[in-house]
Amino acid sequence: MPTHQLPAPIARFIRIVTWVENGLLIGLLALMVGLAGTQILFRNLLDLSLLEADQLLRMLVLWVALLGAVAASRDRKHISVDVLSRFLPARLHAGVRAFTDLFTIGVCLLLAWQSVHFVQDERAMAEKAFGAVPVWVTELILPIAFALIALRYALHLRHSLLQCCGREECR
Amino acid sequence: MILTGLAFVALVLLGTPLFAVIAASVLLAFSHTDTRLTVVVSEVYRLSEMPVLLAIPLFTFAGYVLAESQAPRRLVRLTNAFLGWMPGGLAAVVLVVCALFTAFTGASGVTIVALGALLFPALTQAGYPERFNLGLITTSGSIGLLFAPSLPLILYSVVAQQLNIGQPVAIGDLFLAGILPGTLIVLLLALYGAWQNRGQAIPTTRFSVREALGAAREAAWEVPLPLIILGGIYSGYFAVSEAAAVTALYVLVVEVFIHREIRLPELPRVMRESMVLVGAILIVLGMSLASTNYLLDAEVPTRLFAFIREHVHGALGFLLLLNLFLLVLGMMLDIFSALVIMVPLILPIAVGYGVHPIHLGIVFLANMEIGYLMPPIGMNLFIASYRFNKPVLTIFRAVLPFVAILVLAVLLITYVPWLSLGLLRH
């Protein structure tokens, strides 16, 4: 996603966010592959099954899935029905995209807000997910991911609007 | 209510990400009840409570690593060494290679992109007509969905298990159930390839023991993979998610450290790209868990069944109607969305008509294979059009005979449940 037309501090912020997103996604996937493999070795060689590792692995699925969804937002790779783009003139299509971007931002902000409530509720219950990690910490990815998806679509929205107004070339 | 429904359909057609539309509709539906809206995100959180989902990121990652390596080329050489001597042999090679490859990459279009460049020139060079080649490769991009460990099979089982239909829908059973129908599809298409090109002077390569051994030695690391997966699962040695972990680790070691075809610095990009697909699928699944929860609360499937039972009598009539419906659905929605949105509605009805849930899953996916080839959405048409630089209409005309064969196969799969269930009853 191009950041060069943004004010410098915002562009820098986006670059840092992108870097952290990528780092977390890749790191957690590596952890998942390694841990899942170790589990099998342990079970077969030492007849040992780590319950906590199972719980951690399931949590990793959620985190990797949501971080993957954030990455998909950056590249506009979400599953969608893409019929109109082939029939509409480029600028009109950019206008339609601006509208759907706005809708997506709205939904994601609402989801992020509900996720904050969800995390707060869980925090009051103070249950443990695995080891010393409370459940609410594992849920933190929900508000973070939905907020990040909203952020990505806000950046898309800017481009869609500029293209719609003819101030940026349509891709 | 009809107006809101139409508004949501319009949003989908305008290209809004599907997960956002489903989320909005569920938020709206729950806002009319006493339930707190946090229920939607708590359903997404349930993605962390299904152990079997672990298989999805692991298999997808393995598939992407394989696609980036030279494994497709080795697979082509190996299959050609064993099938190339038959009439229409190269066409059969294309079908078998693509089916195996799609099983690992989940029919996400990777097959056409990764193998098209390799197979299309090979077919042309061997003297097959261009139109046939376009049709064959475009079609091959989605066959293989029925073979383990394809993502749609896993996803169907995950969705079906949410529904409490009283019959288990184990992934292992689905993997077994897909073998005969999947083979039937490949076989019918291969026969068509041989028949279509009869009388054309296409030289077949003579079977050579030396070439077969050489190809087998070259692919020695990849050949055991299906055995590891299926053998591991059916001997009871691995759970499905464990088989996925072994596959991911194995493929990683073979392609990165033994063959060294993916350099270590490239690995993070491959990891990220594979997880984009996983994220896009699982977030739709998460939202659809919430919508399924609402639909079950509102007893929608029960009411739908009562309505349909008044008009459609008997399982055969229902299955015919289902085939038509799925064909149209496949023209509109991609396979992953169709699965998570439609299975919660269709499965309870099918079970009501006495259709086995495993059989329904195979019928559903077989229908969807055709959807990949139908306008206006059919993803394979557009990927092939882009890949081979040909108008979509040309591609569509080229796949039509293949679509006819697939329809025949789907009818057989639908009305001969034994094909799907035969291997299960032992």
Side-chain angles (χ1 to χ4, degrees), chain B residues 316-352:
Chain B
L316 286 184
F318 167 73
L319 283 173
L320 187 67
L321 196 69
L322 184 73
N323 275 332
L324 284 174
F325 175 73
L326 290 178
L327 217 63
V328 176
L329 184 72
M331 290 158 72
M332 314 294 290
L333 273 182
D334 74 289
I335 190 163
F336 301 114
S337 330
L339 270 173
V340 297
I341 296 171
M342 282 302 157
V343 168
L345 291 172
I346 293 174
L347 183 56
I349 302 174
V351 171

Side-chain angles (χ1 to χ4, degrees), chain B residues 90-384:
Chain B
L90 192 60
V93 169
V94 170
L95 286 163
V96 171
V97 169
C98 287
L100 284 175
F101 199 72
T102 305
F104 272 91
T105 52
S108 42
V110 182
T111 309
I112 297 177
V113 176
L115 287 170
L118 209 60
L119 297 174
F120 189 72
L123 282 165
T124 312
Q125 208 176 10
Y128 288 89
E130 183 182 54
R131 188 155 160 186
F132 174 82
N133 301 344
L134 282 177
L136 180 69
I137 292 192
T138 311
T139 310
S140 301
S142 60
I143 64 165
L145 284 182
L146 295 178
F147 292 117
S150 89
L151 285 189
L153 279 176
I154 300 177
L155 211 56
Y156 176 81
S157 151
V158 169
V159 175
Q161 282 168 14
Q162 306 306 310
L163 296 172
N164 300 322
I165 45 166
Q167 297 178 55
V169 189
I171 293 187
D173 285 351
L174 271 167
F175 281 3
L176 272 184
I179 293 177
L180 289 182
T183 313
L184 174 77
I185 290 177
V186 173
L187 207 65
L188 284 179
L189 289 172
L191 283 176
Y192 170 74
W195 180 79
Q196 175 70 20
N197 296 295
R198 71 195 183 286
Q200 304 223 23
I202 295 169
T204 49
T205 47
R206 182 125 24 103
F207 180 77
S208 131
V209 178
R210 179 189 283 180
E211 167 63 11
L213 280 179
R217 198 173 308 123
E218 197 187 38
W221 286 103
E222 280 100 3
V223 169
L225 258 182
L227 293 179
I228 295 177
I229 297 172
L230 291 176
I233 294 173
Y234 295 113
S235 63
Y237 204 71
F238 296 141
V240 172
S241 57
E242 288 179 326
V246 172
T247 308
L249 270 179
Y250 183 90
V251 166
L252 194 64
V253 170
V254 168
E255 308 304 344
V256 178
F257 297 107
I258 297 179
H259 284 311
R260 300 188 187 204
E261 287 162 354
I262 298 176
R263 292 184 310 120
L264 221 43
E266 290 171 44
L267 201 56
R269 177 184 56 82
V270 180
M271 292 171 95
R272 182 180 173 280
E273 275 173 16
S274 62
M275 288 309 109
V276 165
L277 176 67
V278 169
I281 294 173
L282 288 187
I283 197 169
V284 175
L285 175 66
M287 294 306 163
S288 80
L289 289 175
S291 74
T292 305
N293 179 329
Y294 175 79
L295 291 176
L296 291 180
D297 264 5
E299 297 188 329
V300 174
T302 323
R303 281 189 276 168
L304 209 56
F305 177 48
F307 173 77
I308 293 180
R309 198 174 38 187
E310 276 180 30
H311 298 88
V312 181
H313 302 285
L316 286 184
F318 167 73
L319 283 173
L320 187 67
L321 196 69
L322 184 73
N323 275 332
L324 284 174
F325 175 73
L326 290 178
L327 217 63
V328 176
L329 184 72
M331 290 158 72
M332 314 294 290
L333 273 182
D334 74 289
I335 190 163
F336 301 114
S337 330
L339 270 173
V340 297
I341 296 171
M342 282 302 157
V343 168
L345 291 172
I346 293 174
L347 183 56
I349 302 174
V351 171
Y353 275 106
V355 178
H356 195 290
I358 302 264
H359 181 212
L360 179 79
I362 301 297
V363 171
F364 196 104
L365 297 187
N367 268 290
M368 287 292 136
E369 287 189 358
I370 303 179
Y372 272 94
L373 306 172
M374 299 293 275
I377 306 288
M379 193 175 69
N380 283 3
L381 294 178
F382 293 98
I383 295 177

Side-chain angles (χ1 to χ4, degrees), chain A residues 22 43 74 79 121 138, chain B residues 18 36 45 237 242 272 334:
Chain A
N22 282 345
R43 187 171 66 88
R74 198 190 313 156
I79 295 178
D121 292 353
T138 66
Chain B
L18 215 57
R36 294 186 59 196
Y45 185 72
Y237 204 71
E242 288 179 326
R272 182 180 173 280
D334 74 289

Side-chain angles (χ1 to χ4, degrees), chain B residues 24-92:
Chain B
S25 65
V26 183
L27 285 167
L28 192 69
F30 273 117
S31 70
H32 294 309
T33 67
D34 303 335
T35 321
R36 294 186 59 196
L37 289 183
T38 51
V39 68
V40 181
V41 284
S42 78
E43 288 290 326
V44 177
Y45 185 72
R46 283 211 304 130
L47 290 177
S48 71
E49 291 166 4
M50 303 176 196
V52 62
L53 280 188
L54 181 58
I56 291 183
L58 293 174
F59 274 133
T60 310
F61 172 54
Y64 269 71
V65 171
L66 280 177
E68 287 277 328
S69 73
Q70 297 290 318
R73 196 184 50 75
R74 285 190 287 275
L75 192 59
V76 172
R77 183 179 167 201
L78 181 70
T79 325
N80 199 21
F82 282 94
L83 299 179
W85 55 270
M86 300 190 310
L90 192 60

